[in-house]
Amino acid sequence: MKSGKKKVSPIGLNDITIVDDAKMRKAITAAALGNAMEWFDFGVYGFVAYVLGKVFFPGADPSVQMIAALATFSVPFLIRPLGGLFFGALGDKYGRQKVLAATIVIMSLSTTAIGLIPSYDSIGIWAPILLLLAKMAQGFSVGGEYTGASIFVAEYAPDRKRGFLGSWLDFGSIAGFVLGAGIVVMISAVIGEDQFQAWGWRLPFFLALPLGMLGLYLRNALEETPAFQQHVEKLEQGDREGLSGGPKVSFKEVATKHWRSLITCIGIVVATNVTYYMLLTYMPSYLSHNLHYSENRGVLIIIAIMVGMLFVQPLIGFISDKIGRRPFIIVGSIALFLLAIPAFMLIISGKIGLIFAGLLILAVVLNFFIGVMASTLPAMFPTHIRYSALAGAFNVSVLIAGLTPTLAAWLVETTNNLYMPAYYLMVVAAIGLATGLTMKETANKPLRGAAPAASNIEEAKELLEDLHDNIEQKIEDIDAQIAELEAKRKELVQQHPRID
């Protein structure tokens, strides 16, 4: 009879992954470019929402036009969880690289399609229907894009640099948003507002096609992540958990065994993305429609804010590798709760310097969240379910956050209270604070289910020493628990008359 015990070998230097710098740089570039294209569309869409309302919903009240255009932005978030489940299962079965190549193709084609849709005056009700279909195709592909990209970077990154390297993913997000907004301003300035509303708004969407082709080229040139390769090797050696025929862990089981990670993921994503969409998607319409501020001037202020965010983003990631991710979630949530109303007081003032200061406050708080999100989320789940579990939780959370522009616009219009967005952010801040206080720290630790990863052999030796120290500490803790249980057993035995 065979023994059921599995022999475990001591962990040595050969068990630590040494990350190839060239491959790592390619992985980060390819992942960030896809994310930049996703947010390029968000930037363009947010800044031309007022035009899209006139093109696709003519004849309606200006307030209704804006809400309808923003609703078209929000509705595709309903389809994102389906895309997340679909691409997540594929990513855990076939690998991260193949799925990311597919998502960027769908994203680029659907974004380009928006620029080709005729106006309502030309084809009637089919215009908004086609716009919605294009946005839903985007939503389906984006459902697997960000989570796949964050996992790709996290599984390539060394343990001690995961925060810094992961921060470049959202650097790509902000850069894409700045590029989209900047192109809108440039085209509008060159051809004039009338021509921009007539046909110029289509041009930014056409740029998604060459961006997508470049992203596809870069992603096809990549190798699979080291963590996933290790997982496949284990399966080939007889450990069939998780991959054969697709992930064998149901979402119900994930929710049972990893419910703490799911809740943490939802809290972080809601706090981050509500703030993101409030600042970068809703604020341009808020400034122009509700505060009657010049569209171009409002856009320029937000672009300047976002350029500043680009420089802060990697710094947050770098510091998080030193002090951890939790402090940024906690401090960012407290700051958002305390400063939301003061920030909107400055924005509502109507003075350009104070508007800039109010938006800057929200931007700095947002940096605290996005600077650590891409490195925090992938560390919550083991390798064989990481893509499917994270994609499901992330996209359900984004479904909530994606309603932010529409709900904020509706709340302001129905209550005539310009501070409603601030109250909205305060509720979200409470969610972020609860999440930060209860989450486990993930900085400087190996990904769950993966070997430790280092930049070089010297760092690998340090990681191995830290790992051995951690094992020794765990053994001492277990020994202490055993001694405590033995003492308790002895006490109970003494209380029983027939047990020696």
Side-chain angles (χ1 to χ4, degrees), residues 110-179:
S110 56
T111 302
T112 303
I114 294 176
L116 297 172
I117 300 173
S119 67
Y120 187 95
D121 292 336
S122 299
I123 60 173
I125 192 63
W126 283 105
I129 290 175
L130 290 174
L131 175 63
L132 183 60
L133 290 175
K135 293 300 292 180
M136 291 181 73
Q138 281 183 334
F140 189 77
S141 63
V142 169
E145 172 61 32
Y146 182 85
T147 49
S150 63
I151 288 170
F152 202 80
V153 173
E155 291 184 347
Y156 256 109
D159 296 340
R160 292 185 176 181
K161 295 180 180 178
R162 188 166 291 116
F164 174 68
L165 297 176
S167 68
W168 289 98
L169 188 63
D170 282 294
F171 180 96
S173 301
I174 301 170
F177 210 102
V178 169
L179 178 63

Side-chain angles (χ1 to χ4, degrees), residues 52 58 76-77 140 154 158 247 328 342 395 464 495 498:
L52 296 179
F77 285 87
F140 189 77
F328 285 101
N395 287 294
L464 185 62
Q495 296 175 16
R498 294 187 297 276

